[in-house]
Amino acid sequence: MQGGCFRWARTLLSCRNCRSYSALPAQALTDAVTDLGCPASLFPIARALSRRIVAHLGPTNSGKTHAALQHLRQAASGIYCGPLRLLAWQVHAQLCSSLPCNLVTGQERREELGARHTACTVEMASHRAVVDVAVVDEVQMLADHSRGWAWTRALLGVPARTLHVCGDPAVLPLLEKIAGETGEELEVRHYQRLSPLVPARRPLACLSQVRSGDCVVAFTRRDVHAVRQEVESHGRHRCCVVYGALPPNARQLQAALFNASRTGFNVLAASDAVGMGLNLSIRRIIFTSIRKWDGTADRQLTAAEIKQIAGRAGRYGSRFPSGTVTAMNAADLRVVADALQQPSEALTTAHLLPSLSQLELLHSQHPQDNLPALLRRFAAAAAGSLAQTHYCYAQYEDQYTLATMLRHLPLSLQEAWTFSISPTDPADAPLASALLRFATAYARQLRVPVAATLLPPLAQARSEVDLLQLETCHRILDLYLWLAHRFPDAFEGAEDVALKSGALAALIDTSIREMGVQRRCRASSEAAAAAADDASLEAEAEWEQQQVEEWMRRKRRYHKHRR
């Protein structure tokens, strides 16, 4: 594999009489350009630094990211690379409390005078600016088939003298292989969970038994809202929601409403998006199911996914310092309980995708190819170089679909590539239509006015259909902002759209609050049944407290043994 790192160089050197790349044998250059067998060689600035890698590994709520951020705060210069805009916002706010810090995400740029620190989403990480300290959060995401390429590039390419990576211990074998490949020092620090997390003794019989501080997890937007409606229909609790399609600003507002005391919104209905990016005061996680549709198949959650979600209960320092996890039936609860006790399966492969510069080199050899053809050609040619390595080619079908949709437009390779990597789901018809509309306007007149968003008059949602329309409109505005940072001369209305986007997120949050069901107290027979339920819940709480105390005893024995 190490020989593969220098295959391109050997190919060039073998052609001593060549004056340009074009003079090389076509197939030899194609093989060299598409060789991904040793991607570390693509980042010379990072390789020149002799970086030190510090891995902070542990479960959720173990303080690993906090420890890494302390090093970032103390450094003369640095960068934080997070998986979500929400996390970039949080770290930016934390750092700005004591030092100037820039914020860079796909949709926004905030530059502070004199700032030498940056909080960004991982896709936006610079591979050119040298810093003293970098933090790459949720590093186990490099094994994700769709976004993993960004973490692989950050791990290999961020030019930091000390690189702190935070994540699940399952990533350690892969980190060791990559550090051995790059010849960089790897220091490993293990963390234990700071607060107890225990499985419940029995499943939840029905959602009428939810209590203040509970988070009920479902795996589709429709199911999340169904949970909200059912919880509120019993008249005891109001319910906040968090799911992937909800705008980040609205998610933040809903999280703040749930965390605040005495608002009445004391239960949370959420998708697996709750597992990352929000600081939440959750007492108990309730799985309505342990199966989800992952885009290709309906499957059972992995142990790592269960632990990531369940670990949100019992956040250290919150009003619920210990956490419980349960499910809606006994079989699911057994699976959840087993998952909490077993280590996550070791990760074996990191994902890769070619950069624009690599595609441009390939295009120089195949000028007749449009972008979709280049994407297919590169993937096919790279397969051989990835055999018998710990790397694999990432999923690129969404990019290919968007590139195919735009292939008829007179766009340069760079322009077509930029539109094709935009945050657009091809299956989201209104958003894909907006992308096509923006790209067509750009190709024809190099100008995309705000009017191209074609937004209808916006008003507070009164139904699920109305709310879905508001969320769709927000995604279109988000896309416009993303493109405006890549084509600033063409997308002239970025400031206006940013204001509309913020106002729309607030409108979505207000709509969710007002759509809640409020009912008067139930009949006396139902009140008696509720009292019986409360007695049962008190017994369950007593048992959970016993489990927490046993967890604490085991933790004390562990630390005594370590000493």
Side-chain angles (χ1 to χ4, degrees):
M1 183 182 67
Q2 290 180 351
C5 296
F6 306 102
R7 190 179 302 163
W8 192 352
R10 289 202 305 269
T11 302
L12 296 177
L13 291 173
S14 67
C15 299
R16 297 179 181 177
N17 297 325
C18 297
R19 295 185 179 181
S20 67
Y21 290 156
S22 60
L24 290 170
Q27 188 57 49
L29 184 55
T30 296
D31 291 344
V33 169
T34 58
D35 185 355
L36 298 179
C38 189
S41 62
L42 300 173
F43 303 99
I45 301 177
R47 300 289 75 75
L49 287 178
S50 298
R51 301 180 309 170
R52 172 171 164 260
I53 303 175
V54 181
H56 303 261
L57 305 179
T60 56
N61 196 23
S62 60
K64 57 186 183 295
T65 303
H66 174 76
L69 290 176
Q70 292 301 103
H71 291 279
L72 179 61
R73 188 187 299 272
Q74 295 163 8
S77 61
I79 184 171
Y80 167 82
C81 309
L84 299 170
R85 289 161 65 186
L86 282 170
L87 281 170
W89 293 347
Q90 288 177 15
V91 172
H92 174 258
Q94 292 174 26
L95 294 178
C96 279
S97 65
S98 59
L99 51 86
C101 179
N102 298 323
L103 175 67
V104 180
T105 73
Q107 291 83 355
E108 60 203 319
R109 309 283 192 279
R110 297 183 204 168
E111 295 187 359
E112 301 288 339
L113 183 64
R116 301 190 64 195
H117 289 72
T118 299
C120 69
T121 45
V122 68
E123 287 88 351
M124 303 302 296
S126 170
H127 300 145
R128 296 180 180 273
V130 177
V131 294
D132 289 322
V133 169
V135 174
V136 177
D137 207 356
E138 304 292 352
V139 68
Q140 75 277 358
M141 288 286 290
L142 55 75
D144 183 77
H145 70 280
S146 59
R147 293 183 67 202
W149 60 268
W151 274 264
T152 304
R153 286 185 189 174
L155 177 61
L156 293 173
V158 169
R161 295 178 179 87
T162 303
L163 174 63
H164 294 263
V165 297
C166 311
D168 191 288
V171 78
L172 180 56
L174 196 50
L175 289 178
E176 290 173 334
K177 290 179 182 179
I178 292 174
E181 173 185 291
T182 59
E184 293 169 329
E185 174 190 354
L186 174 62
E187 176 187 340
V188 181
R189 301 178 186 177
H190 291 283
Y191 294 77
Q192 297 295 317
R193 186 176 167 87
L194 296 174
S195 61
L197 177 64
V198 297
R201 179 171 56 175
R202 58 188 178 188
L204 204 70
C206 63
L207 291 180
S208 64
Q209 295 181 345
V210 298
R211 287 177 278 172
S212 181
D214 281 352
C215 172
V216 185
V217 178
F219 292 100
T220 67
R221 178 188 180 278
R222 178 182 297 175
D223 288 345
V224 168
H225 279 289
V227 166
R228 175 185 62 81
Q229 290 175 356
E230 183 173 351
V231 168
E232 293 188 337
S233 71
H234 295 291
R236 291 183 172 188
H237 306 282
R238 300 296 304 279
C239 194
C240 297
V241 296
V242 167
Y243 48 89
L246 201 63
N249 322 55
R251 268 185 266 175
Q252 203 171 44
L253 292 169
Q254 285 285 295
L257 181 64
F258 171 72
N259 286 336
S261 58
R262 298 177 182 175
T263 63
F265 289 86
N266 47 21
V267 172
L268 180 65
S271 71
D272 50 351
V274 75
M276 196 179 295
L278 290 167
N279 291 325
L280 296 162
S281 296
I282 296 173
R283 187 185 62 81
R284 178 174 60 174
I285 290 286
I286 302 165
F287 285 91
T288 59
S289 172
I290 57 169
R291 301 190 66 84
K292 64 177 282 189
W293 174 261
D294 64 4
T296 57
D298 180 73
R299 61 170 178 83
Q300 183 170 299
L301 299 176
T302 66
E305 290 169 333
I306 289 173
K307 290 191 290 185
Q308 181 76 25
I309 297 169
R312 306 307 289 178
R315 178 167 162 258
Y316 181 74
S318 74
R319 57 196 173 102
F320 300 114
S322 62
T324 308
V325 57
T326 190
M328 298 298 292
N329 63 69
D332 285 356
L333 180 55
R334 284 194 295 271
V335 172
V336 169
D338 289 344
L340 296 182
Q341 299 302 318
Q342 60 181 278
S344 302
E345 185 177 351
L347 304 178
T348 57
T349 54
H351 286 73
L352 293 169
L353 279 179
S355 65
L356 173 61
S357 60
Q358 289 171 296
L359 288 171
E360 287 174 333
L361 282 172
L362 185 62
H363 188 242
S364 69
Q365 289 299 301
H366 304 277
Q368 76 284 357
D369 283 359
N370 58 17
L371 179 57
L374 280 176
L375 292 174
R376 287 290 195 229
R377 186 185 296 276
F378 201 108
S385 66
L386 294 173
Q388 300 180 350
T389 72
H390 43 268
Y391 298 103
C392 63
Y393 211 79
Q395 188 271 342
Y396 70 101
E397 290 304 317
D398 285 355
Q399 183 185 7
Y400 176 81
T401 301
L402 295 177
T404 302
M405 183 181 74
L406 305 174
R407 69 188 185 282
H408 64 287
L409 297 176
L411 299 169
S412 69
L413 178 63
Q414 180 177 358
E415 292 166 343
W417 180 82
T418 302
F419 279 105
S420 73
I421 64 167
S422 66
T424 305
D425 180 356
D428 185 340
L431 190 60
S433 296
L435 178 68
L436 180 57
R437 192 163 59 249
F438 295 160
T440 301
Y442 177 84
R444 289 179 176 175
Q445 54 194 15
L446 295 179
R447 180 175 175 272
V448 187
V450 177
T453 58
L454 297 183
L455 296 187
L458 301 177
Q460 184 173 311
R462 302 295 180 185
S463 67
E464 297 290 334
V465 174
D466 292 345
L467 184 62
L468 181 60
Q469 183 182 40
L470 293 182
E471 292 169 5
T472 300
C473 291
H474 192 277
R475 289 197 296 276
I476 293 172
L477 294 178
D478 239 23
L479 174 61
Y480 189 99
L481 288 174
W482 191 94
L483 291 167
H485 286 291
R486 278 80 183 166
F487 305 105
D489 294 334
F491 290 76
E492 302 168 348
E495 291 185 7
D496 184 30
V497 168
L499 292 174
K500 288 184 177 180
S501 176
L504 182 52
L507 181 61
I508 290 171
D509 173 68
T510 301
S511 298
I512 294 171
R513 298 185 191 208
E514 296 301 321
M515 284 169 62
V517 179
Q518 294 179 300
R519 296 187 175 181
R520 296 185 178 274
C521 295
R522 297 193 168 253
S524 57
S525 59
E526 292 183 343
D533 283 345
D534 288 341
S536 175
L537 294 176
E538 287 176 8
E540 183 75 13
E542 183 179 351
W543 183 85
E544 289 171 4
Q545 182 59 35
Q546 293 171 359
Q547 293 294 104
V548 167
E549 291 171 358
E550 175 60 25
W551 187 93
M552 296 297 293
R553 283 194 293 271
R554 291 200 305 268
K555 185 174 182 180
R556 285 194 291 269
R557 286 198 298 269
Y558 169 81
H559 287 296
K560 183 177 180 180
H561 176 72
R562 287 287 298 271
R563 288 196 295 269

